[in-house]
């Protein structure tokens, strides 16, 4: 169907709908007929695919090869144990990965795009996937167009169609039919159509849905495009490189050990089994499971902290974040604006009452003011009331109780918080918006745009067309030629005086808006073209938006974590600086020995850098300014993007918050883009995560969880490799010394599969800690294991080897008759070593004595369970025969326990001497 050629009436007729929208019953019927309005983004991963994925790691390939070898030489006991390794690994990995996949899909449902639709004649918000052809939808700036639509009524609508056309410039839209257009008109030329996935950048419109899901333009393209592969996170790439290196090293060691034994005259078959056992024992088979579990837990924990991850690399990158660029309004502040001060007719007024309440009044010198019509104060309040798109809707309870007083009335604020505050201020002055609208009906709106910095409405009046304008004080003052005096006359404009009054209010931390009026068609056209210079200035309104206490605490925590916080706002510079002082942006990020700043330097951090200043600065100058301040005011979208890029040039890992269309470039360019849940669809689409409660504290919480996830993966890797290194060193030492093997191949496999397999996964559940949160950010290029942990790995591996061999030497006494008991004692010592060592691995720097056993109950229970299994195996006839176990005496148990406990001493000494004292004490 060629919709763009048809008139509005014909389109509605073809779709069997009208401007009142579909009924719910008809919408349900059409949803069954047309299906959900969503694009299939590649095949859903099936359970079989997840299961097969468990056998695609290089580490698993080695295990499969070992299984084949043991089957060929008919070593059934070893084959059974290796088979158990593969089954356990695949089962645990399948369960965790499948649950993680399901969890991520469930979390993504939390940020399903919404659409404003008219059903049964009433406007409501629904999930965009429930739209059907014939639905009437409302489009507005900052929202994605939820389906292909034919425009019905347009008000200054501009749409960015770059997702379809590649052209970044917004397209002006209209609602007229293109009757003479060709039947194959390109998408870019269909100016009365809107397409799914494109973004409304300004204006608003009413439209009718013509196509949904795979029938839309973008849906047709999606079917033709080859499905993209899975995203591999930077962490997964590091793990993959590590596993390949480990695989090569282990195979080499296994070959060397087998060759040494064979050259020493040992049985070749036994040496092949030994090589297999070493390969299987040293391979950290649980590592893929740990990575999956840690990332899944990170995503889940972040969701509980109101941060929904859209892009998995964000989990890893969050842990390295060094700078957070945050918006102010609604993120750092409460987004509950209240007008506190008014300047009009050379007079200052106070507004009492706070929060979202009608209670309060306009005062001057603690006396309530009677407001007369046509005065500067009246015009200031009326302009804020009528040049306004917000609404104060009555609550359901209020609709049934019309006897309530105005002060006790309950309402639901809808719209921009600043505009809500202006409505409440007018109401406190006794101005009834509904009555005003009867006297001054609106005929046209010029929406606010960041580049324009003002909004205007055009009204009909007995005296002729009335223009009301509100916006940034410096912009409004520049558009005026006169100002209204207290007596109601127009005086010559004193711009400097008005700027001083505006800055005085801003210096109190108030967000200031200026109001102006004008009359006549010619003036209305000039305002629409941003060419007005003869408006009449009427007044200023100063609003307070208190900081969130949780955000202030989070900013303090960021500084302690070595993370710098930069605030970007559209406020006046003095307003931004005043707010910045209240939220402690004069504090430095403590990055390894940073000294406290002197008072002068701290004051400089609060001196706002304006967008005008940014325009004048070359990159080198801008970098110097960027180092000297944490506050940027009156910043334009491309300047925010420049801010991100300059920080990236300085090798910072940058996270950015935002909610508007103008934030999308910065969100997309930053390492981490964090869109606010109440923000626009465009911002969410450009982001890596969505902050559902719009609170800066949730951004910091997500950073903490990102650090925790990586730390757990790192420490589980350290645990697996250090115990694997001990296995290799034990066997190689015995071969070189000419001793009997301290551990049989099946015993090595038992140790690392049955007794070790639970603990490593449980480490992924370890909660975070103060030392982790208050340490400086991890270098982004640092490997899974840093230099300190590699050093500790070698030390622990050697110590576990020495302790195990000492037990074997003591129990064997050089007699062949005691080998089974000696091997059982040596294996038990190694098992106990592992049980002690896993608790050392709960933290990279914090002492084991400062970590409660109950903060990770799964680890404690897992260790107890695996130890119980080993003890039981020593006394069960089947496992005694299969693994050549013998019961141990009480003295042997005591000696093994004492030797194993020394692992604590070794780890604690290394932590003490190789960890900064500031981290040890936390």
């Amino acid at each position: 169907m060629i919709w763009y050629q048809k008139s509005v009436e014909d389109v509605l007729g073809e779709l069997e709908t009208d401007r009142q929208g579909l009924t719910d019953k008809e919408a349900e019927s059409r949803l069954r007929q047309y299906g959900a309005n969503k694009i299939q983004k590649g095949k859903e991963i099936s359970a079989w695919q997840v299961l097969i994925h468990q056998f695609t790691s290089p580490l698993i390939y080695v295990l499969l090869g070992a299984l084949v070898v043991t089957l060929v030489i008919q070593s059934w006991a070893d084959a059974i144990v290796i088979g158990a390794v593969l089954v356990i690994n695949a089962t645990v990995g399948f369960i965790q990965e499948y649950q993680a996949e399901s969890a991520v899909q469930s979390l993504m449902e939390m940020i399903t795009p919404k659409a404003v639709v008219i059903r049964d004649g009433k406007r409501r918000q629904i999930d965009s996937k429930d739209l059907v052809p014939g639905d009437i939808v409302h489009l507005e700036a900052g929202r994605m167009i939820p389906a292909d639509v034919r425009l019905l009524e347009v008000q200054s609508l501009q749409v960015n169609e770059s997702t379809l056309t590649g052209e970044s410039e917004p397209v002006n839209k209209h609602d007229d039919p293109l009757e003479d257009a060709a039947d194959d008109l390109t998408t870019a030329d269909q100016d009365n159509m809107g397409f799914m996935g494109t973004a409304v950048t300004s204006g608003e419109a009413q439209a009718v849905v013509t196509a949904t899901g795979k029938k839309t333009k973008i849906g047709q393209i999606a079917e033709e495009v080859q499905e993209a592969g899975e995203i591999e996170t930077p962490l997964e790439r590091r793990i993959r490189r590590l596993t390949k290196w480990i695989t090569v090293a282990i195979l080499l060691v296994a070959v060397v050990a087998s060759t040494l034994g064979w050259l020493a005259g040992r049985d070749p078959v036994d040496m092949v089994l030994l090589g297999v056992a070493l390969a299987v024992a040293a391979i950290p088979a649980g590592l893929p499971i740990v990575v999956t579990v840690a990332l899944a837990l990170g995503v889940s924990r972040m969701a509980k902290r109101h941060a929904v991850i859209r892009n998995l690399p964000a989990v890893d990158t969050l842990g390295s974040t060094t700078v957070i660029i945050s918006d102010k309004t609604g993120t750092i502040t409460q987004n509950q604006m209240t007008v506190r001060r008014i300047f009009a007719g050379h007079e200052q007024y106070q507004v009492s009452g706070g929060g979202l309440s009608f209670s309060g009044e306009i005062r001057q010198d603690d006396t309530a003011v009677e407001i007369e019509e046509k005065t500067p104060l009246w015009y200031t309040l009326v302009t804020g009331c009528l040049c306004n798109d917000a609404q104060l809707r009555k609550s359901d309870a209020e609709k049934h109780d019309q006897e309530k007083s105005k002060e006790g009335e309950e309402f639901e604020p809808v719209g921009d918080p600043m505009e809500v505050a202006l409505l409440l201020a007018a109401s406190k002055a006794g101005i009834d918006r509904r009555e005003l609208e009867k006297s001054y009906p609106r005929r046209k709106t010029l929406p606010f745009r960041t580049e324009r910095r003002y909004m205007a409405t055009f009204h009909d009046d007995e005296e002729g067309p009335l223009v009301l304008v509100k916006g940034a004080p410096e912009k409004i003052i520049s558009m005026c030629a006169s100002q209204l005096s207290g007596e109601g006359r127009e005086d010559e404009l004193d711009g400097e005086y008005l700027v001083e009054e505006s800055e005085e209010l801003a210096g109190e931390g108030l967000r200031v808006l200026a109001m102006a009026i004008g009359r006549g068609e010619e003036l209305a056209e000039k305002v629409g073209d941003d060419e007005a210079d003869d408006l009449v200035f009427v007044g200023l309104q100063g609003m307070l938006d208190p900081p969130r206490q949780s955000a202030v605490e989070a900013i303090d925590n960021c500084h302690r974590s070595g993370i710098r916080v930069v605030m970007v706002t559209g406020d006046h510079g003095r307003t931004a600086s005043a707010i910045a002082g209240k939220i402690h942006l004069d504090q430095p990020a403590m990055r390894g020995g940073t000294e406290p700043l002197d008072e002068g330097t701290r004051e400089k951090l609060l001196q706002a850098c304006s967008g005008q200043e940014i325009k004048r600065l070359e990159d080198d100058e801008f970098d110097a300014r960027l180092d000297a301040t944490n506050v940027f005011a009156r910043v334009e979208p491309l300047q925010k993007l420049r801010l991100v890029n300059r920080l990236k040039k300085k090798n910072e890992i940058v996270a950015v918050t935002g909610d508007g269309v103008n934030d999308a470039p910065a969100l997309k360019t930053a390492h981490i883009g964090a869109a606010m849940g109440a923000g626009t669809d465009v911002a969410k689409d450009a982001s890596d995560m969505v902050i559902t409660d719009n609170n800066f504290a949730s951004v910091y919480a997500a950073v903490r969880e990102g650090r925790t996830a990586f730390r757990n993966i790192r420490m589980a890797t350290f645990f697996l490799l250090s115990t694997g290194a001990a296995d290799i060193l034990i066997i190689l030492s015995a071969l070189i010394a000419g001793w009997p093997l301290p551990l049989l191949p099946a015993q090595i496999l038992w140790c690392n599969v049955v007794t070790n397999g639970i603990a490593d996964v449980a480490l992924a559940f370890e909660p975070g800690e103060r030392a982790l949160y208050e340490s400086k950010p991890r270098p982004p290029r640092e490997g899974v294991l840093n230099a300190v942990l590699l050093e500790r790995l070698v030390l622990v591996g050697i110590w576990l080897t020495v302790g195990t061999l000492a037990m074997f030497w003591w129990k064997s006494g050089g007699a062949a008759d005691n080998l089974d008991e000696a091997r059982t004692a040596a294996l038990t010592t190694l098992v106990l070593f592992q049980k002690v060592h896993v608790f050392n691995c709960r933290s990279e720097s914090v002492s084991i004595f400062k970590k409660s056993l109950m903060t990770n109950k799964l680890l404690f229970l897992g260790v107890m369970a695996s130890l119980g299994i080993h003890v039981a195996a020593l006394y069960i006839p089947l496992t005694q025969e299969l693994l050549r176990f013998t019961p141990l005496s009480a003295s042997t148990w005591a000696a093994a326990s004492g030797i194993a406990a020394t692992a604590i001493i070794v780890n604690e000494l290394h932590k003490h001497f190789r960890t900064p004292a500031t981290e040890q004490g936390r």
Side-chain angles (χ1 to χ4, degrees):
M1 190 70 68
I2 305 176
W3 300 108
Y4 56 81
Q5 294 176 342
K6 298 179 180 295
S7 68
V8 167
E9 291 72 20
D10 288 344
V11 171
L12 293 174
E14 292 276 359
L15 292 167
E16 299 181 8
T17 187
D18 57 36
R19 294 175 186 271
Q20 297 302 304
L22 302 173
T23 64
D24 286 334
K25 184 176 180 180
E26 177 61 24
E28 289 177 10
S29 173
R30 295 192 185 192
L31 187 60
R32 289 192 295 270
Q33 177 184 352
Y34 295 105
N37 177 39
K38 60 182 181 180
I39 306 299
Q40 189 67 39
K41 298 181 180 179
K43 295 180 180 178
E44 293 185 4
I45 298 177
S46 67
W48 280 109
Q49 287 174 305
V50 175
L51 182 60
I52 292 172
H53 184 253
Q54 307 313 310
F55 297 93
T56 58
S57 165
L59 302 178
I60 302 302
Y61 297 155
V62 176
L63 292 178
L64 289 170
L67 178 62
V68 171
V69 171
T70 53
L71 289 173
V72 168
I73 64 177
Q74 299 183 1
S75 177
W76 307 120
D78 295 304
I80 289 171
V81 176
I82 295 173
V85 174
L86 289 166
V87 170
I88 292 171
N89 182 77
T91 301
V92 175
F94 170 81
I95 292 171
Q96 292 296 339
E97 187 170 335
Y98 194 72
Q99 287 180 343
E101 191 72 29
S102 300
V104 171
Q105 290 299 320
S106 298
L107 291 175
M108 288 303 292
E109 290 296 320
M110 296 172 62
I111 53 173
T112 299
K114 304 292 183 181
V116 178
V117 64
I118 297 175
R119 293 263 178 94
D120 288 321
K122 299 178 181 178
R123 183 182 292 192
R124 66 181 74 167
Q125 185 170 265
I126 64 172
D127 290 343
S128 62
K129 64 182 177 63
D130 295 329
L131 284 176
V132 295
D135 263 325
I136 305 299
V137 295
H138 180 73
L139 308 176
E140 60 184 0
R143 299 297 178 187
M144 304 293 285
I145 296 181
D148 283 4
V149 299
R150 168 67 161 87
L151 301 172
L152 304 179
E153 293 180 10
V154 169
Q155 292 187 25
S156 306
L157 186 71
Q158 288 190 321
V159 179
N160 185 324
E161 296 182 336
S162 59
T163 53
L164 289 176
T165 66
E167 297 294 332
S168 59
E169 286 296 318
V171 178
N172 291 306
K173 293 290 186 176
H174 60 77
D175 50 32
D176 298 324
L178 303 175
E179 296 174 346
D180 300 326
D183 291 351
D184 58 351
L185 197 64
T186 64
T187 300
D189 293 324
Q190 296 179 28
D191 295 336
N192 59 4
M193 298 289 293
F195 301 100
M196 184 179 190
T198 59
V200 178
T201 57
S202 67
E204 55 186 332
Q206 192 176 76
V208 60
V209 175
T210 58
T212 59
K214 63 182 181 181
K215 297 295 185 182
T216 62
K217 290 286 185 183
I218 201 167
Q220 293 168 13
I221 294 171
E223 287 195 330
E224 297 172 2
V225 176
Q226 185 177 4
E227 294 171 359
E230 292 181 27
I231 294 174
E232 183 180 47
T233 72
L235 173 62
E236 288 171 332
R237 284 196 292 272
R238 287 197 289 267
I239 293 290
R240 177 167 50 81
R241 287 196 297 266
L242 178 64
T243 55
K244 286 183 177 179
W245 181 86
I246 292 171
T247 300
V248 172
I250 286 173
L251 289 176
L252 182 62
V253 168
V255 170
V256 169
S258 300
T259 303
L260 284 176
W262 177 68
L263 292 176
R266 299 176 188 259
D267 184 90
V269 173
D270 287 344
M271 291 303 97
V272 170
L273 284 176
L274 179 65
V276 168
L278 277 177
V280 174
I283 280 177
L287 188 55
I289 304 174
V290 172
V291 173
T292 301
V293 173
L295 290 177
L297 279 173
V299 170
S300 178
R301 285 170 171 171
M302 287 177 190
K304 292 176 181 177
R305 306 293 292 272
H306 309 290
V308 179
I309 296 298
R310 297 184 70 249
N311 190 7
L312 273 182
V315 179
D316 177 32
T317 311
L318 275 165
S320 300
T321 299
T322 60
V323 179
I324 300 176
I325 301 175
S326 177
D327 285 348
K328 175 184 74 71
T329 304
T331 304
I332 291 176
T333 61
Q334 296 177 17
N335 207 20
Q336 287 192 1
M337 293 281 191
T338 304
V339 175
R340 291 295 192 189
R341 300 277 298 280
I342 297 175
F343 169 80
H346 304 284
E347 300 288 341
Q348 294 275 2
Y349 301 91
Q350 300 81 42
V351 184
S352 62
L356 297 176
S357 171
F358 287 111
S359 61
E361 56 190 358
I362 312 298
R363 294 174 171 270
Q364 187 176 37
D365 299 327
D366 296 326
T367 303
V369 176
E370 290 289 336
I371 301 175
E372 298 180 9
E373 291 190 12
K374 311 294 185 178
T375 61
L377 178 57
W378 184 83
Y379 272 120
T380 300
L381 292 165
V382 166
T383 301
C385 181
L386 291 181
C387 186
N388 194 317
D389 287 330
Q391 298 179 44
L392 303 178
R393 293 177 181 168
K394 289 184 178 181
S395 66
D396 291 337
E398 171 64 12
K399 291 174 184 176
H400 297 288
D401 185 5
Q402 299 297 331
E403 300 300 321
K404 286 188 177 182
S405 65
K406 191 73 172 178
E407 288 74 12
E409 187 173 325
E410 297 176 5
F411 64 91
E412 175 191 355
V414 178
D416 187 289
M418 285 194 298
E419 295 194 329
V420 170
L422 295 174
L423 290 181
L424 289 171
S427 178
K428 292 173 183 178
I431 295 174
D432 190 319
R433 183 183 189 180
R434 287 167 293 189
E435 293 300 320
L436 274 179
E437 289 174 337
K438 292 177 183 178
S439 303
Y440 304 95
R442 185 192 300 192
R443 65 177 182 178
K444 185 179 177 183
T445 302
L446 187 67
F448 177 85
R449 290 180 62 181
T450 304
E451 299 81 6
R452 193 162 44 222
R453 296 168 59 200
Y454 66 87
M455 172 187 177
T457 53
F458 308 89
H459 304 261
D460 291 323
D461 181 18
E462 295 175 355
E463 301 177 30
L466 174 65
V467 183
L468 304 178
V469 186
K470 77 173 193 296
E474 58 269 33
K475 178 63 178 178
I476 299 300
I477 292 170
S478 72
M479 297 170 68
C480 295
S482 60
Q483 63 191 71
L484 204 62
S485 70
E487 292 75 28
R489 68 175 183 271
E490 291 184 22
D491 293 339
E492 183 179 351
L493 184 76
D494 187 347
E496 290 185 7
Y497 167 65
L498 296 178
V499 168
E500 288 176 2
E501 291 293 336
S502 171
E503 290 187 346
E504 181 182 332
L505 295 177
E508 298 175 17
L510 301 178
R511 180 77 177 265
V512 185
L513 287 179
M515 318 289 164
I517 62 174
R519 290 190 179 276
E521 294 289 354
E522 183 180 349
L523 179 61
E525 288 183 13
K526 291 170 70 175
V527 169
D529 294 335
D530 196 8
E531 297 176 353
D533 58 4
D534 51 354
L535 291 171
V536 179
F537 181 90
V538 294
L540 303 166
Q541 295 199 50
M543 289 163 277
L544 178 65
D545 184 13
R548 298 176 188 258
Q549 186 56 40
S550 59
V552 177
E553 293 172 1
I555 289 171
D556 288 340
N557 287 330
C558 281
H559 292 153
R560 283 192 286 268
S561 302
I563 301 171
R564 180 185 177 191
V565 180
V566 174
M567 186 179 77
V568 175
T569 176
D571 288 338
H572 185 282
R574 291 191 63 181
T575 303
S577 294
I579 293 294
K582 294 178 181 179
I583 61 175
H584 304 166
L585 287 189
D586 57 344
Q587 301 297 321
M590 304 301 291
R591 297 186 184 175
T594 301
E595 295 296 329
L597 300 182
D598 59 71
E599 193 65 30
T601 305
R602 290 174 57 183
E603 287 182 4
K604 287 182 180 179
L605 287 175
L606 298 180
Q607 291 177 4
C609 178
S610 70
Q612 290 293 327
E613 185 179 351
I614 294 174
K615 285 181 181 179
R616 297 192 301 266
L617 296 175
E618 298 295 332
D619 283 346
D620 290 345
E621 297 172 315
F622 183 44
D623 288 346
R625 191 74 178 91
L626 179 55
D627 289 338
T629 185
N630 286 332
V631 187
F632 293 83
R634 291 282 197 261
V635 173
E636 296 177 1
L638 290 180
Q639 293 171 341
K640 187 173 183 179
L641 178 61
R642 185 186 179 193
L643 179 61
V644 172
N645 284 327
R646 295 315 301 171
L647 285 168
K648 290 174 69 175
K649 279 281 188 182
K650 296 160 75 70
N651 296 318
E652 302 284 2
I653 303 301
V654 185
V656 172
T657 74
D659 57 7
V661 176
N662 54 347
D663 293 316
L667 288 168
K668 194 73 174 178
T669 304
H671 295 98
I672 296 292
M676 297 298 108
T680 62
D681 293 337
V682 178
K684 293 175 187 175
D685 191 59
S687 68
D688 302 290
M689 67 178 180
V690 176
I691 305 301
T692 57
D693 65 348
N694 311 309
N695 192 340
F696 180 86
S698 297
V699 180
Y700 172 69
V703 171
R704 285 175 49 150
E705 295 302 340
R707 288 191 176 191
T708 300
F710 181 83
R711 189 280 312 272
N712 289 348
I713 292 170
R714 165 174 278 182
M715 296 312 295
T717 304
F718 166 66
F719 171 70
L720 289 168
L721 294 183
S722 57
T723 54
D727 293 331
I728 291 173
L729 290 175
I730 288 168
I731 299 303
L732 288 179
S733 299
L735 289 173
I736 293 171
W739 288 12
L741 291 178
L743 301 172
L744 295 175
Q747 292 174 340
I748 296 174
L749 296 175
W750 167 267
C751 177
N752 286 276
V753 175
V754 179
T755 68
N756 210 17
I758 300 174
D760 56 353
V761 176
L763 282 173
F765 291 82
E766 186 68 26
E769 60 197 12
R770 183 181 171 191
L772 176 66
Y773 301 149
E774 296 187 3
S775 61
K776 63 182 180 179
R778 169 177 54 87
R781 297 186 181 277
E782 188 175 79
V784 178
L785 298 181
N786 58 22
V788 172
L789 281 180
L790 286 171
E791 186 180 292
R792 192 179 302 166
L793 186 155
V794 172
L795 182 63
V796 169
I798 292 173
W799 190 255
L800 265 60
T801 299
V802 171
T804 303
L805 290 177
M807 174 59 75
F808 177 75
W809 178 81
W810 175 53
K811 294 301 295 184
S812 65
D817 293 342
N818 296 334
L819 275 181
D820 282 349
E821 182 182 358
R823 285 169 173 156
T824 303
L827 177 66
T828 299
T829 302
L830 187 58
V831 167
L832 292 174
F833 259 136
Q834 290 177 345
K835 300 311 125 190
V836 171
H837 182 47
V838 73
F839 287 103
N840 288 321
C841 298
R842 296 176 65 196
S843 175
E844 189 174 343
S845 57
V846 177
S847 168
I848 190 175
F849 301 111
K850 295 181 180 179
K851 302 277 289 186
S852 169
L853 290 176
M854 292 297 103
T855 54
N856 188 348
K857 294 179 181 177
L858 184 64
L859 177 62
F860 179 76
L861 294 174
V863 167
M864 292 298 101
S866 61
L867 187 58
I869 291 171
H870 180 71
V871 172
L874 299 186
Y875 301 96
I876 296 174
L878 177 63
T879 49
Q880 285 180 338
E881 182 178 351
L882 184 66
L883 299 172
R884 294 174 65 174
F885 283 164
T886 62
L888 299 177
S889 64
S891 60
T892 302
W893 273 106
S897 299
I899 292 173
T902 61
I904 296 177
I905 300 173
V906 173
N907 271 274
E908 287 298 301
L909 287 173
H910 191 268
K911 284 181 182 179
H912 178 76
F913 288 107
R914 295 291 285 137
T915 303
T918 51
E919 294 185 20
Q920 294 176 28
R922 292 171 182 158

